[in-house]
Amino acid sequence: MRKSLKKILQYAFLIAAFVVAVFPFYWMVVGATNSAVEIVKGKITFGNQLGKNFKTLFAEYDVARIFFNSCKVAILTVIGQLIISSMGGYGFELFASKARDKIYGIVMMTMMVPFAALMIPLFRLIVRFNLLDSHLGLILTSLTSVFLIFFFRQSFKSFPKEIIQAARVDGAGEFRIFYSIVVPSMKATYAAAAIYSFMTSWNAYMWPLIVLQSNQKKTMQLLISTMSSAYFPEYGVIMAAILISTLPMIIIFFGLQSYFVQGITGSLKQ
Amino acid sequence: MENTTRLPSQDREKRHISAKNKYGWFFISFPVIILAVFMLYPIISSLFLSTMSSRGMIQKFVGLRNYVKLLKDTVFLQALKNTFIFFIIQVPIMLFLALIIASLLNDKSIKFRGLFRTGIFLPAVTSLVTYALLFKMMFSLDGLINKFLLAIHLISEPIPWLMDPFWAKITVMIAMTWRWTGYNMIFYLSGLQNIPDELYEAAEIDGANKLRQFRFITVPMLKPIILFTAITSTIGTLQLFDEPMSFSSGGVTAATIGPGNSLLTMSVYIYNLCFKYMPNFGYAATVAYVIVILVAILAIIQFKLAGDKR
């Protein structure tokens, strides 16, 4: 009897957490099917404005191009971050030495510095390299993620060293060992890192706001923030834009979800 | 060197070590060079700036005077206070909630675990712009939340969520908790999978209830991960910028950040010093370094706390 009461409480708590977490997503989908007036009124059932909202969105803004911009920046950033950060994590873990551990310490400490502090020197740097208002300026500055270096190093800790030793005895070069033995067997780690990396790049707001200036260069986040600061925000249309910008994240997350948990679990083992 | 004759194997080992060294540098060179240009250079450059006072284009060296000036700057002190309120209230609530949800979800007899896990993590994929917008709409005076609370008769008149200094902070804390609880939960859940079930079974046999199991098995076993999430959350909260900026009406150009500057955090103050008032980059850099110092101090305290309980 007491046991079943406990179970009920357990489910009640989880269901409550689930509803709170998911409701805004439901509302976002519903919102895209309603008009601005209906949204403000608090309507939470499906309407029939979906087609109209999307038509207005695509007529008023160059959404296809902006969506492509976001994809381009995010994909190139993910590729760069995965290659460079995983090499870093691998180097720091498997070739640990006193000097390199000191460098690792310094690298980790940079995590404590707020981005607001880097903004001005970084902006000047971008101007000097002539990268203002370019996607390259965004990609280049985020080619390496300190968090991912840490994450990869933690994950490589559990990689069996005997395999690497055996490959060395067989005469394989260090770089070959890395890309043909280590990388393919750490799929879950790379998938988890890819989700993290895509998420931060796709959702970035502050830095793109500073670097990108012309309308054709904008990303989805900048579009949404422009739309919402309009004098008369068209909420239905905004909800449609939000839907488009959130969908890729949800698809990627669902696609790689099982890897994601596995990857994080792997990095926590010691 | 005690051995005068060198064995061939020693030689090979030495060669091996130097090769190892060479490859070690090769692997870390790419990230280190990029970080040196786009991270270390800006950090050092702003450290220099923090000893300067600048009014527009004119700069002059003031040494540590910027740091002294901070102590008498009432706006800075308010930003410091606001930031700490967020840190002291929001971080523990969020981490505790994440820990509870994770341990409930770790129970293998629960049905639909995958569904719960995915749903609760989902907020972590939304962007700041998106969730700030959604929450601002939901928490407006005639928004969904007020309508709901009125309908269930929990309140008799609408709460001025974003118009009152007290409630504005609460709203931002609710939004942040919504966004980050699932994210932290995933770390705990992963950590829990590394705890052998036998520990819980043994505790069950010994007659320890769920609460005691949580207190004496889950928490101690997860200590390194709790420490990790505590430190990343500390860094995140002390650098809090995006949320207050997007939740305050008028955003970048507004006179105050939140009603009565209630959402003004240290990072927002840095932004204001750079872009809103007559730019004083030197003074802004000083505020940034205060954040670095505070994060370092809090991280050390957290390490100590985690160590002592062991």
Side-chain angles (χ1 to χ4, degrees), chain A residues 7 16 41 65 118 158 186 202 209 232 236-238:
Chain A
K7 268 267 122 63
K41 271 189 186 156
R65 174 184 225 129
L118 308 179
S158 60
M186 302 288 281
W202 185 268
L209 181 70
F232 291 109
V237 184
I238 294 175

Side-chain angles (χ1 to χ4, degrees), chain B residues 4-166:
Chain B
T4 41
T5 49
R6 282 152 54 96
L7 297 165
S9 68
Q10 259 182 332
D11 224 28
R12 203 182 308 144
E13 202 162 285
K14 215 171 187 185
R15 215 172 327 131
H16 175 67
I17 286 171
S18 79
K20 221 182 148 181
N21 211 24
K22 199 175 77 195
Y23 280 105
W25 291 120
F26 166 75
F27 277 111
I28 69 163
S29 60
F30 298 88
V32 166
I33 290 168
I34 290 171
L35 286 176
V37 177
F38 295 116
M39 200 87 189
L40 209 58
Y41 163 73
I43 288 175
I44 293 168
S45 154
S46 65
L47 184 61
F48 273 114
L49 267 177
S50 81
T51 62
M52 303 276 199
S53 177
S54 48
R55 281 265 165 255
M57 284 292 117
I58 311 146
Q59 281 185 355
K60 71 168 198 280
F61 180 77
V62 292
L64 290 175
R65 239 174 298 160
N66 275 337
Y67 290 88
V68 178
K69 189 172 147 195
L70 269 183
L71 298 173
K72 284 175 265 167
D73 181 346
T74 50
V75 184
F76 168 75
L77 292 177
Q78 190 186 6
L80 185 72
K81 194 180 121 201
N82 286 342
T83 308
F84 266 88
I85 290 175
F86 279 115
F87 168 67
I88 288 166
I89 299 172
Q90 197 265 337
V91 174
I93 290 178
M94 171 185 69
L95 294 183
F96 189 62
L97 213 58
L99 194 55
I100 293 200
I101 296 172
S103 53
L104 287 181
L105 272 181
N106 197 43
D107 183 343
K108 303 244 173 353
S109 65
I110 290 277
K111 288 198 181 73
F112 309 116
R113 286 166 71 207
L115 183 72
F116 281 126
R117 189 189 63 201
T118 309
I120 294 169
F121 179 78
L122 216 50
V125 309
T126 56
S127 73
L128 157 89
V129 178
T130 303
Y131 93 88
L133 194 62
L134 288 175
F135 270 76
K136 254 163 87 172
M137 284 159 77
M138 285 197 289
F139 282 83
S140 66
L141 199 58
D142 54 356
L144 274 180
I145 300 296
N146 272 336
K147 283 214 174 82
F148 174 71
L149 293 177
L150 284 169
I152 60 167
H153 296 289
L154 208 65
I155 52 172
S156 53
E157 51 187 270
I159 296 174
W161 290 107
L162 285 160
M163 277 114 82
D164 176 85
F166 170 76

Side-chain angles (χ1 to χ4, degrees), chain A residues 1-57:
Chain A
M1 194 53 209
R2 263 195 69 211
K3 200 129 206 174
S4 67
L5 183 71
K6 252 187 206 161
K7 268 267 122 63
I8 291 168
L9 279 176
Q10 207 171 344
Y11 274 111
F13 192 84
L14 285 175
I15 289 169
F18 180 84
V19 169
V20 169
V22 172
F23 178 76
F25 289 93
Y26 166 78
W27 193 50
M28 176 170 90
V29 176
V30 164
T33 69
N34 284 321
S35 68
V37 180
E38 286 166 326
I39 293 169
V40 174
K41 271 189 186 156
K43 189 176 172 218
I44 52 168
T45 49
F46 284 94
N48 52 8
Q49 304 286 311
L50 185 69
K52 196 174 160 246
N53 283 337
F54 270 95
K55 215 177 264 168
T56 319
L57 177 66

Side-chain angles (χ1 to χ4, degrees), chain B residues 165-185:
Chain B
F166 170 76
W167 289 110
K169 275 202 189 78
I170 302 275
T171 311
V172 171
M173 284 186 207
I174 292 173
M176 284 165 64
T177 309
W178 179 80
R179 171 67 170 76
W180 293 103
T181 301
Y183 175 85
N184 287 299
M185 174 202 74

